[in-house]
């Protein structure tokens, strides 16, 4: 090591443990998971040679009984539910972030903390909270029965509705924080100028406010839609069969069904869809933002 | 709409949002004191569930596992992550910026894939080498892996906010690397280290999925205990356990508020150094 400059040696020493951890305990396992998708499913659910594409064929719905669209529906439902949840989160977070940014400085940190603290509790506990609220005969369930949303004694979960509420609840802070950051930096002179030119409130919003908050909005969308797509806990606890998402499909192959190659193939599809989602969001941001780089 | 009524509407909206954010937690806390096992009817105040909880060895074990996992992984993560954040700061000028992608990987990887990948990896290693069998050890490794990037980024951000001349000054004074760490870096980074330790703790306590897939039969944590109780349909003490965990999170939130509010000595040095 004497060939290396002393400085370089210290720098290597500082970064090596962290890099080691991420490479050995994340990059390697992920590579192993990817490789597993191309193995055959052995007699006891253990993956064996030879290499095949059977797992992908099975994932696409081709089985002993011909083609079934179940897995495809699950994939589409995952995308749809995460997009719906993201849309609702935006509608809630936008006014909230604006409101917080208009408060006296000393209050803002407390208000942001108030938004963030529930997300520090465990995912499972947050879902237990909603299970308590949506259980049969609670105030909320009774109200839903009276409005005709659900049958008496049924409660509001498991259901797709409960899953969407759970997703919105889980990811709301991830939208509020970047939007707040955008509102806090808002150049009010642009807004004043638009007002002085007698722009309507809608026009002021569209031309002076919205473009400035777009980077925050896009960052928030990535932080909400991507993890919502991979959700496991909320769908497992609050959703029934009609709300299953791809994360549950993948996990089931490892936990109950013991078809590891199929699960690994599902994981690859998840990663691919996630990357496509990132690309689409990036392009969308660029188009809406007028060729300005608004994301990443 | 006039500006005044808009402001009023926004205020109302904010209070509704607070109800939405805290109702699920409040309901859990409220019904944990219920005399009967129901979240529909409150039959009087009682500590039954807490008595059951503290006389249940499985729950006490899970509590100890949760605390041990959170503390051990966070301590390891602030050391490794802190060094990584520092290393990245010093490497900035060299052509190693691609390494930053390695830091982002654990942050963008879906939990479920992260957990499953580690599970099958640990099982394979265990089969061949007889080490890293599922248990508290594998959970600590998994937690450190997802905590390290957050710590590294926080520490790195703090370093980037410092005046680079401070580093030169410490070198001009012929400080050894050890002295530099002890008398310059550690004091200057202490706010970042404290906040990244708190962040690592919350990340660990908040995690369920990765723990679930890397846990062994003897290393059940509280969230895993709650999960299997729900799956088995036995839920009497679930609200009480959840209340304890919510309480600990609020305690940490309070600490972080106090830490943020306290004008720290090192941030003043930073300011006077850059002016």
């Amino acid at each position: 090591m004497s060939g290396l400059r002393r400085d370089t040696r210290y720098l290597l020493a500082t970064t090596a443990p962290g890099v080691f951890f991420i490479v050995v305990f994340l990059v390697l396992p992920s590579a192993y998971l990817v490789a597993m998708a191309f193995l055959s499913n052995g007699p006891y659910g253990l993956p064996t040679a030879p290499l095949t594409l059977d797992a992908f064929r099975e994932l696409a719905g081709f089985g002993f009984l011909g083609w079934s669209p179940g897995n495809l529906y699950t994939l589409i439902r995952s995308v749809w539910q995460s997009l719906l949840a993201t849309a609702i989160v935006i509608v809630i977070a936008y006014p909230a972030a604006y409101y917080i940014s208009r408060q006296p400085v000393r209050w803002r940190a407390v208000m942001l903390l108030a938004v963030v603290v529930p997300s520090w509790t465990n995912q499972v506990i947050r879902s237990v909270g909603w299970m308590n609220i949506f259980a049969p005969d609670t105030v909320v369930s009774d109200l839903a029965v009276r409005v005709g949303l659900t049958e008496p004694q049924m409660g509001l979960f498991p259901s797709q509705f409960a899953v969407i509420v759970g997703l919105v609840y889980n990811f709301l802070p991830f939208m509020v924080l970047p939007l707040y950051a955008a509102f806090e930096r808002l150049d009010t002179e642009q807004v004043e100028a638009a007002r002085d030119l007698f722009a309507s409130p809608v026009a002021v919003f569209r031309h002076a406010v919205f473009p400035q908050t777009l980077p925050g909005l896009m960052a928030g969308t990535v932080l909400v839609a991507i993890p919502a797509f991979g959700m496991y806990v909320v769908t497992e606890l609050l959703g029934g069969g009609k709300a299953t998402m791809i994360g549950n499909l993948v996990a089931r192959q490892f936990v109950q069904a013991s078809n590891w190659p199929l699960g690994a193939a599902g994981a690859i599809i998840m990663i691919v869809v996630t990357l496509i989602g990132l690309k689409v969001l990036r392009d969308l941001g660029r188009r809406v933002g007028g060729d300005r780089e608004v994301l990443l | 709409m006039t500006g005044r009524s808009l402001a009023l509407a926004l205020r109302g909206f904010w209070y509704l949002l607070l109800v939405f954010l805290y109702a699920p937690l409040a309901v859990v806390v409220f019904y944990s004191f219920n005399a009967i096992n129901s979240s529909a009817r409150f039959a009087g105040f009682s500590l039954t569930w807490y008595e059951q909880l503290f006389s249940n060895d499985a729950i006490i074990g899970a509590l100890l596992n949760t605390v041990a996992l959170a503390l051990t992984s966070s301590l390891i993560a602030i050391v490794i992550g802190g060094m990584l954040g520092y290393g990245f700061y010093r490497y900035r000028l060299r052509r190693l910026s691609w390494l930053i992608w390695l830091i982002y990987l654990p942050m963008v990887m879906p939990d479920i894939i992260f957990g499953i990948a580690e599970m099958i990896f640990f099982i394979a290693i265990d089969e061949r080498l007889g080490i890293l069998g599922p248990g508290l050890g594998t959970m600590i490794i998994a937690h450190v892996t997802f905590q390290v990037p957050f710590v590294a980024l926080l520490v790195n951000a703090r370093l980037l906010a410092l005046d680079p001349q401070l580093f030169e000054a410490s070198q001009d004074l012929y400080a050894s690397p050890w002295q530099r760490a002890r008398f310059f870096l550690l004091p200057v980074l202490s706010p970042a280290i404290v906040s990244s330790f708190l962040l690592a703790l919350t990340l660990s306590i908040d995690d369920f999925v990765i723990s679930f897939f890397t846990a062994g039969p003897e290393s059940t944590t509280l969230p895993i205990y709650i999960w299997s109780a729900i799956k088995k349909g036995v839920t009497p003490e679930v609200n009480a356990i959840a209340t304890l965990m919510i309480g600990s999170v609020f305690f940490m939130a309070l600490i972080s508020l106090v830490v943020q509010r306290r004008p720290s000595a090192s941030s003043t040095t930073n300011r006077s150094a850059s002016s």
Side-chain angles (χ1 to χ4, degrees):
Chain A
M1 293 289 274
S2 57
L4 286 173
R5 281 180 48 222
R6 204 182 68 164
D7 217 22
T8 315
R9 235 169 42 224
Y10 291 131
L11 295 173
L12 268 178
T14 54
T15 47
V19 170
F20 171 84
F21 250 87
I22 297 172
V23 168
V24 173
F25 297 118
L26 189 60
V27 177
L28 274 183
S30 307
Y32 181 49
L33 182 65
V34 168
M36 186 164 287
F38 300 95
L39 295 173
S40 319
N41 193 27
Y44 303 106
L46 290 173
T48 49
L51 300 178
T52 73
L53 287 174
D54 280 355
F56 290 94
R57 219 166 284 142
E58 198 181 338
L59 188 69
F62 297 99
F64 300 119
L65 305 167
W67 186 72
S68 86
N71 291 348
L72 194 64
Y73 284 159
T74 304
L75 179 63
I76 295 170
R77 192 186 302 124
S78 308
V79 174
W80 159 243
Q81 285 182 171
S82 77
L83 288 180
L84 179 61
T86 309
I88 297 172
V89 164
I90 291 174
V91 170
I92 298 175
Y94 212 89
Y98 172 76
Y99 181 69
I100 297 173
S101 74
R102 297 297 103 171
Q103 299 308 307
V105 179
R106 66 203 163 91
W107 279 111
R108 289 183 208 164
V110 180
M111 290 169 87
L112 284 175
L113 198 68
V115 171
V116 173
V117 164
S119 74
W120 287 359
T121 60
N122 192 280
Q123 270 188 20
V124 175
I125 289 169
R126 275 173 270 158
S127 298
V128 168
W130 285 109
M131 287 166 85
N132 274 317
I133 290 177
F134 289 155
D137 298 325
T138 60
V139 182
V140 175
S141 292
D142 283 350
L143 198 71
V145 170
R146 211 161 300 163
V147 182
L149 276 173
T150 180
E151 306 287 309
Q153 316 295 321
M154 285 296 287
L156 282 165
F157 89 98
S159 68
Q160 193 174 35
F161 167 76
V163 167
I164 299 295
V165 171
L167 289 176
V168 169
Y169 186 72
N170 259 282
F171 297 115
L172 188 63
F174 298 111
M175 185 66 81
V176 173
L177 291 181
L179 275 178
Y180 165 78
F183 273 120
E184 206 197 14
R185 285 193 309 255
L186 196 76
D187 177 7
T188 42
E189 278 176 23
Q190 276 189 37
V191 181
E192 300 286 318
R195 285 222 181 97
D196 290 348
L197 294 167
F198 299 106
S200 70
V202 176
V204 170
F205 177 78
R206 209 181 130 211
H207 296 289
V209 179
F210 181 72
Q212 291 194 63
T213 56
L214 191 63
L217 190 66
M218 292 313 290
T221 303
V222 169
L223 291 174
V224 173
I226 299 293
F229 172 73
M231 178 48 88
Y232 173 69
V233 173
V234 166
T235 33
E236 199 77 6
L237 293 181
L238 294 173
K242 285 180 184 159
T244 319
M245 288 171 58
I246 187 150
N248 310 83
L249 179 78
V250 169
R252 205 176 303 140
Q253 309 313 318
F254 289 92
V255 179
Q256 297 142 3
S258 273
N259 189 341
W260 289 15
L262 181 62
I268 292 179
I269 299 298
M270 262 179 96
I271 294 172
V272 169
V273 173
T274 302
L275 292 176
I276 294 175
L278 276 172
K279 173 97 174 72
V280 168
L281 285 174
R282 221 188 124 123
D283 292 351
L284 186 76
R286 198 175 294 157
R287 190 173 311 160
V288 182
D291 286 330
R292 216 155 31 94
E293 205 66 56
V294 292
L295 190 66
L296 301 175
Chain B
M1 215 188 314
T2 65
R4 204 193 176 97
S5 57
L6 179 73
L8 216 63
L10 273 174
R11 178 181 288 259
F13 176 79
W14 168 252
Y15 288 126
L16 274 180
L17 183 64
L18 285 181
V19 171
F20 174 71
L21 285 169
Y22 287 92
L25 305 181
V27 164
V28 166
V29 175
F30 182 68
Y31 284 109
S32 76
F33 296 109
N34 197 354
I36 55 165
N37 181 25
S38 162
S39 53
R41 199 167 61 85
F42 194 75
F45 178 87
S46 116
L47 292 173
T48 324
W49 309 119
Y50 290 92
E51 282 163 21
Q52 284 197 13
L53 184 157
F54 285 112
S55 56
N56 185 334
D57 287 343
I59 297 178
I60 300 295
L63 173 69
L64 293 178
N65 280 337
T66 309
V67 173
L69 172 63
L71 285 178
T72 318
S73 63
S74 303
L75 280 174
I76 300 174
I78 56 167
V79 175
I80 294 178
M83 292 193 328
L84 188 62
Y86 174 71
F88 267 114
Y89 174 76
R90 301 291 279 179
Y91 265 127
R92 224 165 7 123
L93 302 173
R94 294 146 213 263
R95 299 206 172 110
L96 277 168
S97 57
W98 56 269
L99 266 177
I100 198 78
W101 290 106
L102 213 53
I103 286 203
Y104 284 120
L105 186 67
M107 305 172 88
V108 297
M109 183 86 118
D111 279 3
I112 187 82
I113 298 181
F114 195 126
I116 287 172
E118 304 225 2
M119 176 187 80
I120 60 169
F121 177 75
F122 287 140
I123 290 176
I125 299 284
D126 187 29
E127 273 171 4
R128 281 165 190 76
L129 305 174
I131 53 166
L132 294 182
L136 211 49
T138 50
M139 291 170 96
I140 290 172
I141 291 175
H143 278 225
V144 170
T145 309
F146 69 70
Q147 287 164 333
V148 156
F150 289 95
V151 176
L153 287 180
L154 272 182
V155 169
N156 189 256
R158 171 76 185 147
L159 286 166
L160 286 173
L162 287 178
D163 189 336
Q165 286 178 347
L166 285 172
F167 284 90
E168 283 159 34
S170 75
Q171 251 158 355
D172 289 348
L173 295 167
Y174 299 105
S176 73
W178 166 248
Q179 284 171 322
R180 193 159 66 194
R182 170 70 187 80
F183 297 106
F184 165 55
L185 283 174
L186 226 49
V188 141
L189 287 177
S190 63
I193 292 172
V194 170
S195 53
S196 52
F197 183 69
L198 287 175
L199 180 66
L201 278 182
T202 30
L203 285 172
S204 173
I205 295 173
D206 179 42
D207 171 70
F208 164 75
V209 175
I210 294 166
S211 306
F212 181 62
F213 284 101
T214 51
E218 299 294 312
S219 61
T220 301
T221 57
L222 286 178
I224 297 177
Y225 183 89
I226 295 179
W227 174 271
S228 39
I230 296 170
K231 287 277 161 176
K232 280 187 226 142
V234 206
T235 54
E237 322 98 332
V238 162
N239 280 339
I241 308 173
T243 300
L244 291 183
M245 295 194 70
I246 292 170
S248 68
V249 163
F250 276 79
F251 180 67
M252 291 213 291
L254 209 64
I255 292 181
S256 85
L257 203 62
V258 171
V259 171
Q260 274 178 14
R261 285 282 162 107
R262 195 190 58 191
S264 66
S266 41
S267 68
T268 21
T269 14
N270 180 25
R271 217 165 294 140
S272 53
S274 52
S275 62

